[in-house]
Amino acid sequence: MTESENVKWHHAKVTKEQRRHLNKHKSAVVWFTGLSGSGKSTISVELEKELHHLGVRTYCLDGDNIRHGLNKDLGFRPDDRKENIRRIGEVSKLMVEAGLVVLAAFISPYRADRNEIRKRMDDGEFIEVFVNAKIETCESRDPKGLYKKARAGEVKEFTGIDAPYEAPLNPECIVNTDKQSVEESVQTIMSYLKAEGYLE
Ligand code: ADP
């Protein structure tokens, strides 16, 4: 649905399948969700390195970077979070159309918002990776000092403290960063991608 009746869809002469054929791999978004400090960015950066090394065309979308540009008008209220994730989902979809393997690392705390993106994509294009770690672990890592600020009341509506996090019910992959090293998490995801034929 668009706001205007005069907007119509233009079909490209080069299809997604043709772009995939040229790239010699499927395209999809690997969607990392989890608490702040669970390891989404760290793992996505390492996974991208490994995929790139194998000749896979990739692009990493990361929370803070997007909030500097595309979504700089959005805050952290529930509606803004929803719109933040919706836009990132749409950008991911375009990149998947372009034939890329997209790595998206966002807390994306609401299950419904993630499921909306899944619905917008074709089967197999949305690979949800639950980056699971106890909040105590995330808080002790506190890579950006945000838990400290949230506990001091300087940051409001912080996921896991005074805003909810809804874990995925049926993610394609789960990595437990309490127990798994970064390298082990990367290998868990690589095994999934290989087993499901993304990298042929
Ligand atoms: P997020 O993107 O989920 O907010 P980050 O990747 O920015 O999380 O931060 C996670 C921090 O935890 C990093 O400083 C990382 O080096 C550290 N870390 C320690 N152990 C692990 C692990 N097993 N997996 C992922 N990150 C880990």
Side-chain angles (χ1 to χ4, degrees), residues 132-145:
N132 188 21
K134 288 199 288 288
I135 186 143
E136 294 80 8
T137 308
C138 299
E139 191 161 357
S140 69
R141 291 176 183 158
D142 206 6
K144 298 176 211 151

Side-chain angles (χ1 to χ4, degrees), residues 35-42 141 143 177 180-182:
L35 295 171
S36 179
S38 57
K40 301 179 295 300
S41 298
T42 307
R141 291 176 183 158
T177 70
Q180 281 173 274
S181 67
V182 174

Side-chain angles (χ1 to χ4, degrees), residues 141-157:
R141 291 176 183 158
D142 206 6
K144 298 176 211 151
L146 292 173
Y147 283 93
K148 198 156 172 259
K149 284 189 179 165
R151 293 287 182 200
E154 291 163 25
V155 178
K156 301 277 181 221
E157 296 184 82

Side-chain angles (χ1 to χ4, degrees), residues 75-138:
F76 290 87
R77 307 280 312 169
D79 276 359
D80 279 1
R81 286 186 188 245
K82 188 180 170 71
E83 178 61 11
N84 182 46
I85 296 305
R86 189 193 69 79
R87 287 185 203 169
I88 294 158
E90 291 297 321
V91 171
S92 300
K93 186 174 161 64
L94 291 174
M95 290 185 166
V96 170
E97 292 288 328
L100 306 183
V101 172
V102 183
L103 299 100
F106 299 91
I107 299 173
S108 47
Y110 302 122
R111 200 175 287 142
D113 296 350
R114 298 190 303 265
N115 287 344
E116 277 304 312
I117 303 171
R118 184 186 287 277
K119 271 196 262 169
R120 293 274 295 138
M121 305 255 182
D122 289 342
D123 282 352
E125 289 181 353
F126 186 78
I127 302 165
E128 195 173 25
V129 177
F130 179 28
V131 184
N132 188 21
K134 288 199 288 288
I135 186 143
E136 294 80 8
T137 308
C138 299

Side-chain angles (χ1 to χ4, degrees), residues 64-81:
D64 288 347
N65 298 354
I66 295 281
R67 281 184 179 276
H68 277 121
L70 179 68
N71 290 354
K72 69 177 178 187
D73 56 326
L74 300 177
F76 290 87
R77 307 280 312 169
D79 276 359
D80 279 1
R81 286 186 188 245

